[in-house]
Amino acid sequence: MQALTPHVYWAQRHGEIYLRVEISDAQDNLSLQLCQGHGAKGENEYEFSLEFLKLVKPEVKHKSTQRQVNITVKKPEHVWWDRLTKQEKKPLFLAPDFDRWLDESDAEMELREKEEKINKVSIESRVRKDPFLGLKKGFLFMYNLVQFLGYSWIFVNMTVRLFILGQDSFYDTFHTIADVMYFCQMLAIMEVINPAVGLVKTGVMPAFIQVMGRNFILFVIFGTLEDMQNKPVVFFVFYLWSIIEIFRYPFYMLACIDTEWKLLTWLRYTIWIPLYPLGVLAEAVALIQSIPIFDETKLLSIPLPKAIGMSLSFSYILQLYLVIMFLGLFINFRHLFKQRSRRFRTKKRKAN
């Protein structure tokens, strides 16, 4: 019986050639010159030959499965071949294996990632493991859990009151929510301390800008001015803050236990894009509305020498802070966008 030619699919890396032969139920005692199994034309003997573009190592690995035979051939040097065969016109039975196909640049990237992974494992094996790692993760998990519960209570409370009371809920938001918001924002100072002492690897400055900026609005603008506490802007500031945090904190909680939910990851790195600028805009409105009140009450004004006979109104500081706040928005927005791009680029590489 004359041997038939099977379909063969190929791909390469810098150091290897992969061949996938479409033969099912190949016999275990096959040789690479001749084997028996089920191919495109039923159960027959199949054979094929290839004259490679360059010399290869004599050691050839092959593994038979129920559906195919996988062959790995080693190149003597780590070089990229322009084609597989010596003859420019490829054989009719040969086709690219798109399941494993990479172009040269992607293969180089894959090779670098493998080397980086090997180096990382090598370094980690030499570096002494942190004996307090479990304790640190436990602390971070509990911190994020408490913050998540706090902001969830704020969000649910405000949402329910909005549905029941409508616009009337805008005017007493501060008196209903302030105590829990005070607690959450005072606790949020840990987000500046944690990277400063090395508990987390995020930057100190972006966390400092966000936490101190929020606390300035909460404690100075809303906390010291009773006239501001009944304004609708309080509702919008608190509501925007809480929406962002009910996705951010559970993401960090799961990261502490090395778990990831794809939808939550997408929401954590996407929902802030519209909400963060809206939050800063609401804070800016609160600042602008508070300026006439500080001018009128002279609250927190800075007294100047008697010879000058006047004091420096706190409203001037607020106007300067307004400029700094939008500068902080630009810095934090840029930082968060880089973080988002890096996250999804890493996930894409892992998926490939």
Side-chain angles (χ1 to χ4, degrees):
M1 181 172 59
Q2 185 179 2
L4 302 176
T5 304
H7 294 297
V8 180
Y9 301 89
W10 78 284
Q12 69 167 316
R13 299 296 185 268
H14 285 82
E16 294 175 325
I17 298 167
Y18 305 117
L19 302 175
R20 175 166 58 86
V21 186
E22 289 289 300
I23 299 176
S24 61
D25 298 324
Q27 295 180 1
D28 291 337
N29 59 348
L30 65 88
S31 67
L32 292 183
Q33 288 76 31
L34 185 66
C35 67
Q36 184 171 348
H38 290 277
K41 298 183 179 180
E43 185 173 357
N44 285 286
E45 289 184 347
Y46 291 87
E47 69 176 357
F48 70 94
S49 63
L50 290 170
E51 186 178 4
F52 292 128
L53 179 66
K54 298 179 181 179
L55 293 175
V56 296
K57 290 185 177 180
E59 302 85 10
V60 176
K61 294 181 181 179
H62 63 273
K63 182 179 180 182
S64 302
T65 67
Q66 291 183 346
R67 302 181 60 185
Q68 62 198 28
V69 178
N70 296 312
I71 303 172
T72 302
V73 182
K74 296 280 187 180
K75 298 178 182 177
E77 298 177 355
H78 281 67
V79 292
W80 193 259
W81 291 4
D82 296 331
R83 59 182 186 272
L84 180 64
T85 58
K86 202 164 189 178
Q87 63 271 28
E88 292 187 10
K89 186 179 180 181
K90 71 176 183 65
L92 295 176
F93 64 86
L94 186 65
D97 186 353
F98 290 110
D99 290 338
R100 305 193 70 170
W101 190 267
L102 291 179
D103 58 29
E104 185 174 4
S105 59
D106 290 336
E108 288 176 352
M109 185 179 298
E110 181 188 67
L111 184 62
R112 283 198 299 270
E113 288 177 353
K114 285 182 180 179
E115 291 174 350
E116 289 172 2
K117 190 174 182 180
I118 292 171
N119 292 336
K120 184 179 178 181
V121 171
S122 177
I123 292 170
E124 288 176 351
S125 64
R126 294 196 301 267
V127 175
R128 185 181 177 184
K129 290 185 178 180
D130 186 354
F132 303 105
L133 182 61
L135 188 61
K136 291 176 181 177
K137 284 189 173 184
F139 166 75
L140 292 173
F141 181 88
M142 291 305 300
Y143 166 77
N144 288 298
L145 175 61
V146 171
Q147 288 287 58
F148 170 65
L149 293 175
Y151 277 105
S152 294
W153 183 90
I154 292 171
F155 175 76
V156 172
N157 189 297
M158 293 180 70
T159 302
V160 171
R161 287 172 55 80
L162 178 63
F163 277 106
I164 295 174
L165 302 176
Q167 293 185 6
D168 291 340
S169 67
F170 292 173
Y171 301 99
D172 63 348
T173 297
F174 184 85
H175 302 288
T176 308
I177 304 297
D179 289 340
V180 180
M181 186 62 81
Y182 278 143
F183 172 78
C184 290
Q185 280 305 124
M186 285 190 292
L187 192 60
I189 295 174
M190 292 302 303
E191 296 184 26
V192 181
I193 298 174
N194 288 340
V197 299
L199 275 179
V200 295
K201 295 181 180 180
T202 54
V204 176
M205 188 53 65
F208 179 83
I209 292 172
Q210 179 173 323
V211 172
M212 294 303 134
R214 284 187 179 183
N215 283 349
F216 182 83
I217 297 295
L218 178 61
F219 290 97
V220 179
I221 304 301
F222 296 153
T224 60
L225 298 178
E226 290 187 9
D227 291 344
M228 286 297 299
Q229 293 172 6
N230 297 320
K231 291 185 179 293
V233 69
V234 178
F235 174 89
F236 293 103
V237 170
F238 284 6
Y239 205 59
L240 289 167
W241 287 357
S242 65
I243 295 174
I244 292 173
E245 304 302 13
I246 61 175
F247 295 109
R248 188 167 71 96
Y249 285 117
F251 170 81
Y252 290 140
M253 283 169 52
L254 293 178
C256 292
I257 56 175
D258 300 320
T259 304
E260 181 179 359
W261 291 349
K262 290 183 179 179
L263 178 59
L264 182 60
T265 301
W266 183 85
L267 287 170
R268 183 264 178 272
Y269 284 102
T270 305
I271 201 168
W272 63 266
I273 296 174
L275 294 184
Y276 183 57
L278 286 175
V280 173
L281 183 61
E283 294 170 20
V285 171
L287 276 175
I288 293 169
Q289 290 181 351
S290 71
I291 288 174
I293 302 174
F294 279 109
D295 281 337
E296 183 180 346
T297 60
K298 303 297 181 183
L299 187 65
L300 301 179
S301 294
I302 302 172
L304 297 177
K306 291 183 179 180
I308 300 177
M310 59 179 294
S311 61
L312 181 63
S313 174
F314 188 67
S315 64
Y316 294 119
I317 297 175
L318 292 181
Q319 293 172 39
L320 176 62
Y321 179 76
L322 196 60
V323 176
I324 295 173
M325 187 171 67
F326 281 100
L327 180 62
L329 168 65
F330 171 76
I331 294 172
N332 252 357
F333 207 80
R334 185 181 176 188
H335 167 75
L336 290 170
F337 239 110
K338 283 184 177 178
Q339 197 178 49
R340 182 180 187 274
S341 300
R342 192 183 309 117
R343 177 79 185 187
F344 287 111
R345 188 165 56 246
T346 302
K347 285 187 68 178
K348 187 177 179 181
R349 285 181 182 175
K350 287 181 178 179
N352 292 334

